[in-house]
Amino acid sequence: MSSPTPVTPIDAEPGEVTDHLNGAVVTPPQGLLDRIAESGAMVLTDEVSRADAGRDWWPLAIGWAVEGAVPQRPAVVVRPTTTAQVSAVLAACNEAIVPVTPVAGRSGVCGGSIPVFGGVALDLTSLDGLLGVDETSLTADVRAGMFGPDLEAALGDVGSGYTLGHWPQSMDLSTVGGWLACRGAGQYSTRYGKIEDMVLGLEVVLADGRVVHTEGHGPRAATGPNLTQLFVGSEGTLGVITEARFRIHPLPPAQGRRAFGFTTFNAGLEACRKILRRGATPAVLRLYDETESGRNFDQPETNVLVVLDETDPALLAATLAVVDDECGAAAGAHELDTALVERWLGHRNDVSALAPLWRAGIVVDTAEISGPWAALPGLFDEVIGALSAIEGTLAASAHQSHAYTDGACLYFTFGGRGPEGDGAWREEYYRRAWDTVTDATLAHGAAISHHHGIGLNRSRFLPGALGSGFEVLVGLKESFDPVGILNPGKLGLPSPFGPPPWS
């Protein structure tokens, strides 16, 4: 089994680590811990385990790590190995009214796995394994704690070889359950879809310990509402996902690449729109603005588009022909060396620059949103201009990372620096930058998240983003988790333990 890549080291010894959020936390009584241990699940109370489980890859928490702090530690880490153990743990915590935060690879960047009210961190990484593959129907059953590289290796060893086609930037440190909980996207989503397009059915444990199974009995169904999609994206607030059934694909026999430059970012967006409009779905269709083209490809005076596809040779040829037609017809566009695609492949999962920037006092993060093609040009211009206008901003840039027939994901990056050692300025700037991106996104009728989810960082925005639909989500929470123990403080949902310390 793979192990998650360590989060940025904390600048403190285990016994000296502090909790930055300092929220009201719940400590499970000894009787509850004894009951949990009787289930067979591992119970960890040591300082290192608790500190590790108190943070994820939320960039703001990287800055806190420099100060020797984590966002918030749980009182205990519980590591089950079976669905039955998960059920027993949740039933016990539900009766005791102790919060439970599901965690695994902790690769999220929005604070979704931070146990803001202490309690139990339910570590699912030992709940792993490929349970079975139906080579005729092209489906696979997988346990939720399985890491991405392990899943792809296992699928590749079956028969002539298969793939899920889900390749997120966090591939090496994220798990199947995390992908589902946050409605994640892989970098090849234009061909394979997002995780909600791949999943057929789930095994889920509810707050009171009941185990339910959703869908998964056929390629499509009309058996009432799709309960699978109800849990996908719920970020552990409605239930804990323990198993999933997925659509899979034979390993692709052919691959092709292209690279183009455009005079403006919006001209590149238009070419991408026309490619998708004609039905071509290259796995990768990523467009970078001039700032990011210079940073990533040493091409500072153009807007670089990298294209990669993998599929049957006949389909590949047709897809690349459409790409060549539309990019070749764009005014001022020019073909670039396909070595740029190889360069992208070599660096696509590299996040090593984040920690050094935060240690240097530079506030940096990314905000991915999605919107219809008609809204994207104006949204790009407005967000870049507004971010650049915030006092202290050093850089604001964007790329288009995932594209579909009806729209695409814009991935904004911002960085700023204020007075040295001023932690209050850092958090104020961070909030203002996020407010800027989100306000513009809502004003243009776009979605405030494409694949990173909501977590803690975006929780204050979700009621406004969903409008009256948020009341429906609150009702679902009250029905599935009436006591309110599951991942409290997330998605902007009310909590019996009080308001979250970051909202």
Side-chain angles (χ1 to χ4, degrees):
M1 181 185 76
S2 291
S3 297
T5 301
V7 182
T8 306
I10 307 169
D11 287 356
E13 295 300 320
E16 300 173 345
V17 173
T18 60
D19 299 306
H20 183 89
L21 296 177
N22 291 318
V25 297
V26 177
T27 300
Q30 185 58 48
L32 175 61
L33 297 185
D34 292 340
R35 183 176 172 185
I36 290 174
E38 289 172 1
S39 73
M42 182 181 295
V43 178
L44 303 169
T45 58
D46 63 280
E47 292 286 343
V48 172
S49 297
R50 292 175 56 230
D52 283 346
R55 60 206 180 111
D56 56 14
W57 276 89
W58 185 16
L60 190 58
I62 295 176
W64 295 337
V66 175
E67 302 168 349
V70 300
Q72 187 67 61
R73 289 167 293 178
V76 60
V77 179
V78 176
R79 190 171 294 154
T81 58
T82 67
T83 298
Q85 290 176 3
V86 174
S87 174
V89 171
L90 291 184
C93 291
N94 192 61
E95 290 180 19
I97 315 181
V98 170
V100 178
T101 303
V103 300
R106 294 179 289 110
S107 64
V109 294
C110 292
S113 60
I114 293 171
V116 292
F117 296 108
V120 173
L122 189 65
D123 182 347
L124 300 169
T125 55
S126 292
L127 198 70
D128 74 314
L130 177 63
L131 298 174
V133 173
D134 181 340
E135 295 188 74
T136 302
S137 306
L138 290 178
T139 63
D141 295 328
V142 188
R143 300 179 88 196
M146 195 171 195
F147 283 91
D150 295 334
L151 174 58
E152 282 297 320
L155 289 173
D157 287 340
V158 175
S160 57
Y162 300 92
T163 180
L164 180 62
H166 187 72
W167 299 94
Q169 185 180 33
S170 62
M171 185 69 174
D172 289 343
L173 60 153
S174 58
T175 63
V176 167
W179 300 342
L180 292 162
C182 293
R183 283 173 78 175
Q187 293 162 335
Y188 290 15
S189 66
T190 302
R191 171 158 296 284
Y192 296 108
K194 290 182 68 209
I195 200 69
E196 64 260 35
D197 304 308
M198 303 173 181
V199 64
L200 289 164
L202 299 173
E203 177 183 82
V204 182
V205 183
L206 303 184
D208 62 4
R210 286 179 293 164
V211 180
V212 298
H213 294 86
T214 68
E215 302 275 330
H217 302 296
R220 296 291 187 274
T223 51
N226 189 333
L227 297 182
T228 297
Q229 297 299 333
L230 187 63
F231 291 101
V232 174
S234 65
E235 301 190 25
T237 63
L238 302 181
V240 177
I241 297 169
T242 50
E243 292 181 14
R245 174 167 291 173
F246 292 105
R247 298 180 178 91
I248 58 174
H249 308 268
L251 288 174
Q255 187 183 92
R257 303 173 183 184
R258 294 289 190 273
F260 293 89
F262 295 86
T263 54
T264 67
F265 186 77
N266 288 339
L269 285 178
E270 180 66 3
C272 291
R273 184 187 72 83
K274 290 181 176 179
I275 290 168
L276 273 296
R277 183 183 179 92
R278 290 178 60 180
T281 57
V284 176
L285 192 70
R286 296 175 74 93
L287 174 70
Y288 294 81
D289 71 2
E290 287 190 9
T291 299
E292 297 198 9
S293 294
R295 182 188 306 147
N296 296 308
F297 304 107
D298 294 325
Q299 301 280 334
E301 296 182 357
T302 190
N303 297 265
V304 173
L305 174 69
V306 292
V307 184
L308 179 150
D309 200 17
E310 54 175 34
T311 185
D312 180 271
L315 295 176
L316 177 65
T319 295
L320 293 180
V322 172
V323 170
D324 291 339
D325 281 351
E326 295 301 336
C327 292
H334 56 284
E335 194 166 351
L336 298 172
D337 191 336
T338 56
L340 296 181
V341 183
E342 186 65 32
R343 182 167 178 171
W344 172 78
L345 286 167
H347 297 279
R348 59 182 171 148
N349 296 334
D350 184 8
V351 294
S352 60
L354 278 178
L357 288 171
W358 277 92
R359 289 181 183 277
I362 298 175
V363 177
V364 60
D365 202 358
T366 59
E368 35 59 68
I369 60 88
S370 70
W373 288 113
L376 294 183
L379 183 55
F380 166 77
D381 290 337
E382 181 175 335
V383 171
I384 294 298
L387 285 172
S388 301
I390 299 175
E391 184 178 357
T393 294
L394 300 175
S397 61
H399 63 274
Q400 181 272 107
S401 56
H402 306 74
Y404 314 94
T405 305
D406 52 340
C409 168
L410 292 185
Y411 208 113
F412 295 100
T413 297
F414 60 84
R417 173 184 274 157
E420 186 175 351
D422 189 342
W425 181 92
R426 181 176 63 197
E427 294 189 21
E428 181 182 348
Y429 175 86
Y430 189 82
R431 281 181 179 271
R432 187 174 177 187
W434 271 98
D435 289 346
T436 295
V437 175
T438 306
D439 290 348
T441 299
L442 293 173
H444 282 266
I448 65 172
S449 177
H450 175 263
H451 60 276
H452 284 170
I454 300 300
L456 189 61
N457 185 38
R458 279 174 162 146
S459 63
R460 66 189 188 277
F461 303 125
L462 193 59
L466 295 184
S468 59
F470 186 72
E471 298 175 8
V472 178
L473 179 59
V474 171
L476 289 170
K477 175 68 171 177
E478 293 172 347
S479 177
F480 283 91
D481 180 20
V483 178
I485 66 165
L486 291 177
N487 209 6
K490 313 300 166 51
L491 301 188
L493 293 166
S495 165
F497 306 106
W502 178 275
S503 59

